[in-house]
Amino acid sequence: MPVAHRVAVVAVPPATTFDLSIPELVLGATAVDGRPGYEVRICTARPGPIATSSSMVVTVPYGLEAVEDADTVIVTGTAAREEIEPAVLAALRRAAGAGKRVASICTGAFVLARAGLLDGRSATTYWAKSEEFSARYPEVRLRPDVLYVEDGNLLSSAGLSAGIDLCLHLVRSDYGAATANATARLVVAAPVRPGGQAQFIATPLPPESGTSLAGTRAWALERLHEPLTRGELAAHAATSVRTLTRRFHEETGLSPLQWLLYQRVIRAQELLETTELPMEQVARLSGLATTDSLRRHLAGRTGLTPSAYRAAFTRQPPS
């Protein structure tokens, strides 16, 4: 049986309990060919009971040796600023220096910055802490209005539920869109949403925040293969094109046609991963129309051609 991708979740007391639970809940729910996709270990500088930012006390079973063994390291939210264990900072520096993927959720970005890992890099954190972060770490290019940011092997996410988006992005990067969306359904989360800066994402976006057009978006998802227009979307929503466009942007951060294009690329990724359909059919069924359009938009999102994407993310049946 292949070894699952190993993830060390670093708890820095006083830890934010919600953030601390996210990686294990999301990554732990990920299955690939019926097998766990990730082995998640929560660790800290001094294993045992640790303080949290709430009334709870959490017992953390692993020490920082979990960081040394991990493929990905995630630091979750914390109220700590100056009083961070030097051993934690050293472990994070070694992990990043070894080329491991190092990420933060919420105010975990303060820990990465304290370790010097974000100097000259783009990052994000919980918006309510952005002024404090910028004052402490002016050398970091803070982007407080996005869900998550990817800068090389360093990733960071905004507060609370944006950590779910970050973890789903990790699943998509490791195992593809179909697996990530299956995980999203298991944890009752929105499908993988854009929000970072790497080659996978052209434009950072805010989270979907409204429901007035949810029915129209669901209707459109069933018709991605059709050449939908703003007029048809507006007719379904029983509103004007102008109002539709305004509400779409308010609720998704995108215009209606940008949203459709994003969903069509996701559909193409799923078809490439889960079928052996010719590229012409993948393009047609996803609504991208032509193989040239499929190639251009997929490469813009992932950096891969359709054939390379299929080779990278197609899963063989379990033996």
Side-chain angles (χ1 to χ4, degrees):
M1 179 181 295
V3 177
H5 188 106
R6 292 167 296 190
V7 178
V9 179
V10 182
V12 177
T16 305
T17 51
F18 180 82
D19 295 351
L20 191 59
S21 70
I22 289 171
E24 194 153 31
L25 288 173
V26 177
L27 302 180
T30 300
V32 181
D33 298 335
R35 298 166 178 159
Y38 297 91
E39 177 187 286
V40 182
R41 291 185 174 183
I42 299 178
C43 64
T44 192
R46 303 171 191 234
I50 66 165
T52 71
S53 55
S54 68
S55 60
M56 291 187 286
V57 173
V58 173
T59 299
V60 178
Y62 296 102
L64 295 176
E65 65 276 2
V67 174
E68 308 299 328
D69 296 336
D71 303 301
T72 294
V73 181
I74 303 174
V75 182
T76 57
T78 176
R81 296 295 183 262
E82 304 293 336
E83 63 285 5
I84 300 169
E85 289 273 2
V88 169
L89 302 177
L92 292 172
R93 293 186 191 110
R94 287 194 299 271
K100 296 182 179 183
R101 186 168 60 186
V102 179
S104 65
I105 294 175
C106 195
T107 50
F110 283 84
V111 181
L112 299 191
R114 179 76 171 158
L117 301 183
L118 298 180
D119 291 357
R121 303 281 198 119
S122 293
T124 192
T125 189
Y126 178 34
W127 66 268
K129 302 296 182 181
S130 60
E131 288 188 11
E132 178 191 356
F133 187 95
S134 292
R136 285 177 176 271
Y137 303 107
E139 62 276 17
V140 180
R141 296 195 296 268
L142 186 68
R143 301 173 64 185
D145 56 344
V146 300
L147 285 174
Y148 53 87
V149 172
E150 183 171 7
D151 190 329
N153 65 324
L154 297 174
L155 299 93
S156 53
S157 76
L160 301 175
S161 62
I164 297 174
D165 293 293
L166 173 67
C167 287
L168 289 173
H169 173 70
L170 298 181
V171 177
R172 181 177 62 184
S173 299
D174 295 335
Y175 296 116
T179 298
N181 285 336
T183 299
R185 287 191 291 271
L186 282 174
V187 299
V188 198
V192 185
R193 299 188 295 190
Q197 75 156 40
Q199 68 270 24
F200 291 93
I201 312 294
T203 306
L205 303 172
E208 293 194 5
S209 59
T211 59
S212 69
L213 295 177
T216 295
R217 292 195 294 271
W219 175 83
L221 286 174
E222 297 177 355
R223 294 164 175 79
L224 290 177
H225 59 287
E226 300 177 9
L228 296 173
T229 66
R230 290 185 303 165
E232 289 171 315
L233 293 171
H236 182 274
T239 189
S240 68
V241 170
R242 183 175 179 178
T243 299
L244 175 93
T245 301
R246 175 177 57 79
R247 289 182 181 171
F248 244 91
H249 195 273
E250 289 173 351
E251 296 180 20
T252 72
L254 294 171
S255 72
L257 297 185
Q258 287 173 326
W259 181 86
L260 279 172
L261 176 59
Y262 182 80
Q263 298 301 332
R264 282 169 171 154
V265 174
I266 291 293
R267 178 65 53 81
Q269 289 176 279
E270 292 183 340
L271 290 171
L272 288 169
E273 294 168 29
T274 59
T275 75
E276 297 180 357
L277 292 172
M279 297 305 172
E280 294 83 358
Q281 282 187 265
V282 171
R284 180 173 56 81
L285 291 174
S286 62
L288 294 172
T290 67
T291 55
D292 285 344
S293 178
L294 169 65
R295 186 180 302 108
R296 182 172 69 258
H297 291 298
L298 187 69
R301 183 70 46 77
T302 70
L304 299 173
T305 64
S307 57
Y309 185 91
R310 174 171 271 168
F313 289 111
T314 296
R315 300 288 156 197
Q316 299 298 321
S319 57

